[in-house]
Amino acid sequence: MIGIKKNVASTFFILRISNVKILLYILLLFFSRSVIAQEPVLIKNGERFVPELVERFLHSLNNQNDYVISFRVKFTDRTDEKSDYFVLTRKGMKLSAYNYVEKSRKLDSLKLSDESLQLVWDTFIDNDLYSMKNETDVSVFCSGKYRIYNSITYEFVLLTKGEMKKLSYYDPEYYDNLCYGMAERQKIINSVAVITHVLTQ
């Protein structure tokens, strides 16, 4: 009986130690995330901000925030195509989201929870939007027989004070299925998926 009690007591002690380790790991992860979240995010592979290359509605958002990320789906190859946008902004630690409807030229604030906004931001950061290269700058082989035309393009525009970057990826889901090896495509797919998720939940 004493042996059983000792075994139970030692098992309980081990479980408590394991729980403490798990708790410490979670706290460390949270603390690390908080520290990372406070560090400035820098654009890599970008260029100097040129107002003429950015939709006008983004100018005021750029002036009022530290970070602006816009996303749209393009249906043509025209550089002046008009599309609706999802926009995420960050000022300090405050995140906000907007929808811009091109037809009415109206920018509307989206009522998303703080958790949803943070999920979008974290997904963008985890998938290296600020450091990855544009599709045209990434070399990957894909046989000509798989080439398609008249499909969609995912386009992100990232703005910070004085800098900008545009990421365009042509039908990344299609090419990711047939032409493996471009990690950036999957990151773009992940970033678009989180937008779809928070807008439809």
Side-chain angles (χ1 to χ4, degrees):
M1 188 69 170
I2 292 172
I4 292 173
K5 284 183 178 177
K6 280 185 178 176
N7 286 339
V8 170
S10 63
T11 302
F12 179 70
F13 180 73
I14 290 169
L15 285 174
R16 284 185 64 191
I17 292 295
S18 297
N19 288 340
V20 169
K21 284 182 179 178
I22 291 169
L23 181 61
L24 286 173
Y25 175 75
I26 291 171
L27 288 172
L28 182 63
L29 189 65
F30 176 77
F31 177 73
S32 300
R33 196 66 151 165
S34 298
V35 170
I36 290 169
Q38 293 173 21
E39 291 180 356
V41 181
L42 303 175
I43 287 182
K44 295 179 183 176
N45 308 305
E47 57 187 315
R48 184 177 58 84
F49 175 68
V50 179
E52 294 76 22
L53 299 179
V54 176
E55 291 291 334
R56 181 171 285 179
F57 79 92
L58 291 172
H59 293 186
S60 59
L61 290 176
N62 187 40
N63 290 334
Q64 297 164 18
N65 294 279
D66 302 319
Y67 303 96
V68 177
I69 304 173
S70 71
F71 166 74
R72 67 172 174 167
V73 178
K74 289 184 63 179
F75 298 94
T76 73
D77 291 332
R78 291 176 52 184
T79 56
D80 63 344
E81 179 188 317
K82 302 302 181 184
S83 307
D84 295 347
Y85 289 78
F86 168 85
V87 184
L88 183 74
T89 65
R90 180 176 148 186
K91 184 175 179 63
M93 297 304 293
K94 180 176 172 49
L95 294 164
S96 303
Y98 302 87
N99 180 47
Y100 180 77
V101 179
E102 176 59 41
K103 188 174 183 179
S104 60
R105 297 188 177 181
K106 190 175 180 185
L107 183 68
D108 292 318
S109 179
L110 293 172
K111 306 301 181 189
L112 298 178
S113 68
D114 291 342
E115 292 78 12
S116 292
L117 292 169
Q118 193 64 50
L119 177 63
V120 176
W121 174 262
D122 289 344
T123 302
F124 288 171
I125 297 303
D126 290 344
N127 284 277
D128 305 318
L129 284 190
Y130 278 90
S131 58
M132 70 188 294
K133 295 180 179 179
N134 194 32
E135 183 174 39
T136 55
D137 299 322
V138 181
S139 136
V140 64
F141 174 77
C142 189
S143 175
K145 66 181 179 179
Y146 296 126
R147 187 161 301 187
I148 57 172
Y149 303 91
N150 302 317
S151 191
I152 59 171
T153 299
Y154 291 161
E155 181 185 274
F156 284 90
V157 174
L158 293 82
L159 305 174
T160 63
K161 301 301 182 186
E163 287 190 283
M164 61 179 286
K165 178 164 77 167
K166 187 175 288 186
L167 296 170
S168 294
Y169 278 75
Y170 189 68
D171 203 336
E173 283 93 352
Y174 170 82
Y175 283 107
D176 191 56
N177 279 332
L178 292 174
C179 305
Y180 310 109
M182 187 191 281
E184 289 83 356
R185 274 197 195 112
Q186 187 57 57
K187 291 177 179 181
I188 289 291
I189 292 168
N190 294 343
S191 299
V192 174
V194 76
I195 296 172
T196 304
H197 172 71
V198 299
L199 292 180
T200 57
Q201 66 179 354

